[in-house]
């Protein structure tokens, strides 16, 4: 069930030089690896490549497998890779509960069972009774917790974190990072986090630095 | 402020209100111009018992609702296909500029049993040496009319979709939805499009009102006997027997009522669809879908039909004797161009367009500049919306009567004023966005240099906004040249124009003259768009930041 990157390199549109030196990496289930590097080296592009959200025009080399399946040939929606984005990306026209229900995996059937699953996720996020709330009324940390729960409800086989904590206040960042890593670890899935924050690296199980 | 509000109320609001009131009055037996007043609702009874009323009603509902639903339905996959494509909007604007009548005539030449589409595949593929005995153009269900309406309305709705999507993080939401396991088409339908819809509501309702009451396209493409309600109303209004005017007005009031009911029904259906959508969304079903091809397929189909309609106009205008199954005319001849008097209506259309667009531009500038100086909105949005939402036949005949009653006889002035009711809203809509987006720092720094409000307007705002101003003017010309009823009724036959000539010719047998007139009608707005594209390039040839272009 591990996430394996083999000799990955990325070239931006209309560039000839790869963004970073070829990267090989294996992330075990339940393990969190932090990828560090200066801004502009392509950390977010690496996340987009694995998640399937890379804009047109990039050239890629190497392979990415998850639990033995080659990811790069699959469309994003069939990769079972959850992404926690920088801005939580809650859908503004849906209530907090409906945002979570949209994420919740489809094989859990029945209106009651699904509502209970959503309530339970809110409870775990410390947001009991928030189901009917407008996402716009939530604080930054609350939004991030809902976004993480929404991703996890889809039962992903791997989780990617794209500098998701960078915009939070220092205190909140520590708390949010611990919350996220705890929940991801509890699901025994590999997680890859990109960041330029040393504290993120320390909180992860392992750190890798991208270089040209 | 009060004077300015009064100006707009008198110039735009009053004519529409007078038109509606006089139509309603006529239906109820009140004719102030003739000093007649015998109230009663027998005109309605007369209207309802007209032969073919039920069929006309059905046709109007089927074509109006069908075209609106169809256009909206087609705009969904097309919108998804266009959303990530930079510059898509600039290709849509010229499509919007093609006048309804010209497009309808071209589409008729394309799809008629003896039309170009059949000629291209006959006789080698079909075996037809004579045009097949099937009804295509003018079919009893109005399907070709629906197709023609959709060709005009889909680009309009797409442009509205792209404008609504502009300020949103569509790519980010798409990535989020897909990382949760949903296909692109599903994320678009369930997440992104519902957020854009509030901005699409008004364009959709304008499309609905237009489709329910269209006259020029229905005359060319719709069934002729019985025709759609709007055409039936026009026939009665222009019947030689003045007694027919009252049932005509009653029918117009009925059409207004139908529009109102459809609007309410639409708003109700919106809620139902939203509720259904939320239920669907809560179930979390992921539909595995291969990359959808419907977007590019629909785009190619639309471009073939729209482009083919314009090309066939060009072909017919220069065709020598062209017998049925030949795919192309055997020879080219300019004799019709030389013999026919197309220049007269073309110049007349150009003059009407120049006048109505100039007035609309000045009014829009007064409106926007007044808002800037007072730093608060005018709250007259209903003035912009009303002429676009109401069925034209529901107030333009009343307006013509009203003008006459108030001492303005049918003629160019009445036509320009009537056109202004439609040109002004579109110019205003086109100009508002760029005007509000202008960097306030520019005017602030001009003020700090001692420039007064007039100098700021003429030396800073207008030059910087020259590209959007040109685009707005081009849209004004396109709207003006496309007007049919607004020429026919207030002009009372005294004002020639391409739209009315083309539609009148379309029911005749002279395909070449029809094609020439329709082609000229299509060329005028396209020329205006080209000019709008070229002028800022030339004016600002040394100012890279101001060259703009079509948006």
């Amino acid at each position: 069930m591990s996430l394996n990157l083999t000799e990955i390199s990325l070239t931006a549109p209309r560039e000839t030089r790869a963004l970073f030196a070829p990267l090989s990496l294996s992330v075990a289930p339940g393990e969190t690896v932090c990828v560090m590097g200066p801004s502009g080296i392509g950390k977010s592009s690496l996340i987009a490549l694995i998640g399937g959200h890379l804009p047109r025009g990039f050239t890629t080399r190497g392979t990415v497998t998850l639990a033995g399946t080659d990811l790069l040939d699959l469309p994003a929606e069939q990769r079972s890779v959850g992404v926690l984005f920088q801005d939580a990306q809650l859908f503004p026209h849906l209530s907090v509960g409906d945002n979570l229900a949209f994420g919740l995996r489809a094989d859990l059937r029945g209106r009651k069972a699904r509502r209970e699953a959503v309530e339970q996720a809110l409870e775990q996020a410390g947001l009991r009774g928030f189901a009917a709330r407008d996402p716009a009324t939530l604080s930054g940390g609350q939004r991030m917790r809902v976004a993480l729960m929404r991703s996890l409800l889809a039962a992903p086989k791997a989780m990617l974190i794209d500098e998701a904590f960078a915009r939070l206040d220092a205190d909140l960042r520590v708390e949010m990072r611990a919350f996220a890593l705890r929940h991801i670890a509890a699901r025994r899935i590999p997680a890859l986090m990109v960041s330029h924050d040393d504290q993120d690296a320390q909180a992860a199980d392992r750190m890798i630095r991208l270089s040209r | 402020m009060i004077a300015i509000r009064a100006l707009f109320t008198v110039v735009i609001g009053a004519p529409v209100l007078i038109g509606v009131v006089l139509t309603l009055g006529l239906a109820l037996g009140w004719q102030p111009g003739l000093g007649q007043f015998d109230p009663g609702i027998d005109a309605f009874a007369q209207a309802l018992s007209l032969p073919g009323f039920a069929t006309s009603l059905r046709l109007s509902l089927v074509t109006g609702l069908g075209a609106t639903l169809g256009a909206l339905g087609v705009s969904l996959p097309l919108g998804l296909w266009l959303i990530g494509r930079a510059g898509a909007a600039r290709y849509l604007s010229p499509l919007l500029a093609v006048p309804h009548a010209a497009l309808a005539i071209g589409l008729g030449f394309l799809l008629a049993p003896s039309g170009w589409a059949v000629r291209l595949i006959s006789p080698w593929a079909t075996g037809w040496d004579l045009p097949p005995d099937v009804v295509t153009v003018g079919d009893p269900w109005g399907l070709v009319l629906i197709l023609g309406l959709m060709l005009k309305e889909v680009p309009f709705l797409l442009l509205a979709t792209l404008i609504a999507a502009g300020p949103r993080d569509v790519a980010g939401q798409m990535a989020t939805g897909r990382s949760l396991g949903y296909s692109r088409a599903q994320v678009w339908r369930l997440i992104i499009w519902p957020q854009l819809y509030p901005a699409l509501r008004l364009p959709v309702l304008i499309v609905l009102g237009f489709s329910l009451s269209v006259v020029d396209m229905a005359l060319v493409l719709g069934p002729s006997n019985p025709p759609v309600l709007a055409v039936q109303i026009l026939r009665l209004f222009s019947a030689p027997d003045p007694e027919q005017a009252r049932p005509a007005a009653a029918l117009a009031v009925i059409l207004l009522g139908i529009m109102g009911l459809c609007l309410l029904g639409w708003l109700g259906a919106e809620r139902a669809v939203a509720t259904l959508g939320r239920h669907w969304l809560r179930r979390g079903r992921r539909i595995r879908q291969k990359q959808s091809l419907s977007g590019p397929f629909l785009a190619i189909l639309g471009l073939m039909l729209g482009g083919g309609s314009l090309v066939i106009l060009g072909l017919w205008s220069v065709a020598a004797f062209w017998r049925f199954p030949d795919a192309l005319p055997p020879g080219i001849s300019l004799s019709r161009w030389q013999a026919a008097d197309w220049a007269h209506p073309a110049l007349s259309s150009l003059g009407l367009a120049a006048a109505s667009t100039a007035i609309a531009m000045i009014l829009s500038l007064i409106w926007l500049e007044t808002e800037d100086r007072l730093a608060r909105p005018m709250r007259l949005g209903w003035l912009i919306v009303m002429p676009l939402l109401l069925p034209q036949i529901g107030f333009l005949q009343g307006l013509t009567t009203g003008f006459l009653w108030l001492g303005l006889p049918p003629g160019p002035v009445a036509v320009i004023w009537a056109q202004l009711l439609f040109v002004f809203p579109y110019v205003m809509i086109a100009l508002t966005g760029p005007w509000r987006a202008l960097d306030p720092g520019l005017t602030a720094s001009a003020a700090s240099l001692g420039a007064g409000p007039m100098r700021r307007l003429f030396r800073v705002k207008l030059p910087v906004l020259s590209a959007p101003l040109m685009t707005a003017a081009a849209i004004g010309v396109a709207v003006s040249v496309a007007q049919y009823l607004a020429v026919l009724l207030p002009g009372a036959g005294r004002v020639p124009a391409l739209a009315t000539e083309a539609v009148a010719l379309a029911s005749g047998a002279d395909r070449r003259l029809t094609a020439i007139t329709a082609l000229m009608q299509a060329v005028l707005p396209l020329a205006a768009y080209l000019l709008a594209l070229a002028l800022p390039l030339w004016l600002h040839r040394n100012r890279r930041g101001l060259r703009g272009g079509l948006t």
Side-chain angles (χ1 to χ4, degrees), chain A residues 10-196:
Chain A
L10 265 176
T11 312
R14 286 182 294 278
E15 294 283 334
T16 48
R17 213 181 139 205
L19 284 163
F20 46 79
L23 172 70
S24 291
L25 175 64
S26 179
V27 189
E31 186 189 23
T32 308
V33 173
C34 181
V35 176
M36 303 276 292
S39 56
I41 196 153
K43 297 191 296 291
S44 288
S45 300
L46 176 67
I47 292 283
L49 169 73
I50 302 170
H53 312 297
L54 207 57
R56 252 171 265 190
F58 275 87
T59 322
T60 59
R61 282 213 181 84
T63 55
V64 179
T65 60
L66 176 59
T69 313
D70 199 334
L71 284 190
L72 296 187
D73 293 335
L74 288 176
E77 59 267 24
Q78 289 173 27
R79 295 186 183 192
S80 299
V81 174
V83 187
L84 196 55
F85 292 96
Q86 247 181 43
D87 29 16
Q89 289 285 6
L90 297 187
F91 303 126
H93 65 308
L94 299 179
S95 67
V96 170
D98 282 347
N99 262 286
L100 292 172
F102 184 72
L104 182 58
R105 62 183 208 275
D107 57 356
L108 185 67
R109 301 281 173 90
R111 198 184 291 192
K112 188 155 170 270
R114 291 185 69 81
R115 200 178 300 148
E116 275 168 9
V118 167
E119 292 293 342
Q120 202 190 340
L122 280 172
E123 181 112 26
Q124 286 175 359
L127 295 169
R128 191 179 183 166
F130 272 55
R133 285 277 286 268
D134 176 357
T137 63
L138 265 53
S139 72
Q142 290 171 331
R143 292 169 62 80
M144 197 55 79
R145 273 181 281 169
V146 174
L148 177 72
M149 281 306 168
R150 185 177 62 179
S151 285
L152 294 178
L153 283 175
K157 293 188 188 134
M159 195 70 207
L160 307 172
I161 304 174
D162 186 4
E163 305 217 31
F165 316 125
R167 288 192 194 166
L168 302 175
D169 297 338
D171 297 350
L172 197 55
R173 198 181 307 161
V174 175
E175 188 193 317
M176 186 62 219
R177 185 192 300 122
F179 174 82
L181 296 187
R182 191 170 69 240
H183 276 282
I184 292 170
R187 280 166 179 77
R188 307 293 303 159
I189 53 175
L192 191 70
M193 165 164 73
V194 302
S195 172
H196 56 253

Side-chain angles (χ1 to χ4, degrees), chain B residues 105-330:
Chain B
I105 290 168
L107 194 63
F109 285 167
L110 197 61
L111 297 184
S114 65
W116 201 24
V118 172
R119 287 174 195 239
L120 284 175
I121 54 167
S122 296
W124 54 273
T126 58
W128 291 327
D129 289 315
L130 290 169
D133 185 20
V134 290
V135 183
T136 54
V137 174
D139 66 289
W141 281 94
L143 296 180
V144 176
L145 174 57
I146 291 177
L147 186 66
L149 283 165
M150 282 173 62
L151 277 177
K152 273 302 291 174
E153 287 162 355
V154 169
F156 177 60
L157 292 180
L158 278 177
L159 195 62
T161 308
L162 292 183
I163 290 172
R168 288 170 195 278
D169 180 14
V170 172
Q173 295 202 354
M174 186 59 88
T176 308
R178 293 182 77 194
S179 79
L180 296 172
Y182 293 89
S183 67
R184 275 171 54 83
Q186 255 191 312
V187 181
W188 176 251
R189 273 201 307 271
L190 291 172
I191 296 294
I192 298 170
W193 195 81
Q195 294 177 55
L196 308 181
Y197 185 76
L200 286 179
R201 182 177 290 121
L202 183 59
V204 167
L205 292 179
I206 289 174
V207 163
L208 179 65
F210 183 85
S211 307
L212 276 170
S213 62
V214 64
V215 171
D216 50 358
M217 284 195 126
L219 281 169
V220 178
L221 296 177
S224 51
N225 220 357
V228 295
L229 266 187
V231 170
Q232 182 64 36
I233 297 167
L234 178 66
R235 275 191 198 161
L236 292 174
F237 268 134
S238 41
D241 174 11
E243 283 301 306
Q244 299 295 324
R246 285 194 58 193
L251 272 186
V253 172
I254 290 172
L255 186 60
L256 278 168
I258 290 170
M259 170 63 201
L261 285 178
C262 284
L263 196 140
L264 289 179
W266 188 275
L267 295 178
E270 267 178 18
R271 297 204 168 179
V273 170
T275 310
L276 277 176
R278 252 195 311 278
H279 277 294
W280 172 263
L281 181 146
R282 284 183 190 139
R283 287 168 61 201
R285 285 292 166 77
R286 273 74 162 171
I287 298 173
R288 289 262 164 122
Q289 210 169 19
K290 290 270 177 213
Q291 184 88 15
S292 169
L293 287 176
S294 54
F297 172 76
L298 288 167
I300 290 169
L301 188 69
L303 285 177
M304 272 172 61
L305 285 171
S309 301
L310 292 183
V311 172
I312 188 65
L313 286 181
L315 265 184
W316 264 116
S317 78
V318 294
F321 186 68
W322 186 4
R323 271 169 27 138
F324 173 66
D326 299 347
L328 289 171

